[in-house]
Amino acid sequence: MFSGIVETMAQVVKIETEQTNKHFTLRNPYPDTMGIDQSIAHNGVCLTVVKNDGDLYTVTAMQETLRLTNLDSLKVGDWVNLERAMAMDKLLDGHIVQGHVDQKATCVEVRETEGSWYYRFEYESTPEMIKRGYFCVDKGSVSINGVSLTACEPDVQGNKGYVSVCIIPYTHEVTNFKYIEVGTEVNIEFDIIGKYLARFATLTK
């Protein structure tokens, strides 16, 4: 479990394909504390450390994870948002993030707003997906590339959903939001509480 408060970024240095899986090797920002089997969110995707060489570490993504997320489009040299698993004795500064990305979204607008940044994203939306809780509500929480954000201007038009977020300069600088431009694919995880409530409402009708 995570909070959506990104700690740092790591750079991809090697990608290996093994059957339908991909092994990603990244530079290790936690050489003194990272261990095998540790869960770390990469762009919001919970992945398990399978190899640790001190300066470098490796995680593996399976076919389903690659299909649903932007990890399949990573290239050597790309920067990935990282967050280690949340400690239960710490303040929950963001919101409850599982690290189970629901789907990809595409950036359709970026603009600077007198120091801060505005982003708008488009994602697939159907009545069935909405019943499962795959939607945003105004001023609710949403995780984009693992960053806990407040949803603004949510909308659904046809089979497309939309959500906007505003990024303060600090978040823009310390996460890979600074590399996002129109057309960039990101990972989106909708609020788990909203998903439970949507499912409950469907089952009790």
Side-chain angles (χ1 to χ4, degrees), residues 9 25 36 48 65 67 69 71 75 84 126 144 168 170:
M9 292 187 289
T25 299
I36 301 296
T48 301
T65 301
R67 182 182 70 85
T69 73
L71 298 185
K75 304 179 298 298
R84 290 172 293 183
T126 64
I144 296 178
I168 62 173
Y170 175 81

Side-chain angles (χ1 to χ4, degrees), residues 37-172:
D37 293 334
Q38 188 171 348
S39 295
I40 298 178
H42 295 70
N43 278 357
V45 183
C46 180
L47 297 174
T48 301
V49 176
V50 298
K51 185 178 180 180
N52 181 12
D53 293 328
D55 291 338
L56 302 174
Y57 75 96
T58 301
V59 293
T60 300
M62 66 177 67
Q63 183 179 34
E64 181 69 0
T65 301
L66 296 171
R67 182 182 70 85
L68 289 173
T69 73
N70 65 6
L71 298 185
D72 197 32
S73 62
L74 286 178
K75 304 179 298 298
V76 170
D78 284 348
W79 290 90
V80 176
N81 292 335
L82 295 188
E83 182 191 354
R84 290 172 293 183
M86 181 175 62
M88 297 306 291
D89 61 345
K90 290 187 177 181
L91 295 174
L92 180 57
D93 291 320
H95 73 284
I96 297 174
V97 177
Q98 292 186 299
H100 303 159
V101 168
D102 293 306
Q103 60 189 101
K104 290 179 284 191
T106 302
C107 181
V108 294
E109 183 180 358
V110 181
R111 67 173 188 266
E112 187 177 3
T113 56
E114 299 181 356
S116 296
W117 295 82
Y118 171 96
Y119 294 82
R120 190 155 180 81
F121 297 97
E122 175 187 87
Y123 56 89
E124 182 184 358
S125 180
T126 64
E128 182 58 34
M129 294 171 75
I130 291 173
K131 289 180 181 178
R132 293 162 58 191
Y134 290 10
F135 62 89
C136 293
V137 297
D138 201 24
K139 309 306 180 187
S141 295
V142 64
S143 171
I144 296 178
N145 268 5
V147 182
S148 173
L149 297 164
T150 300
C152 302
E153 303 172 342
D155 192 17
V156 176
Q157 299 178 18
N159 66 345
K160 297 294 183 181
Y162 297 88
V163 64
S164 300
V165 295
C166 294
I167 308 296
I168 62 173
Y170 175 81
T171 304
H172 184 267

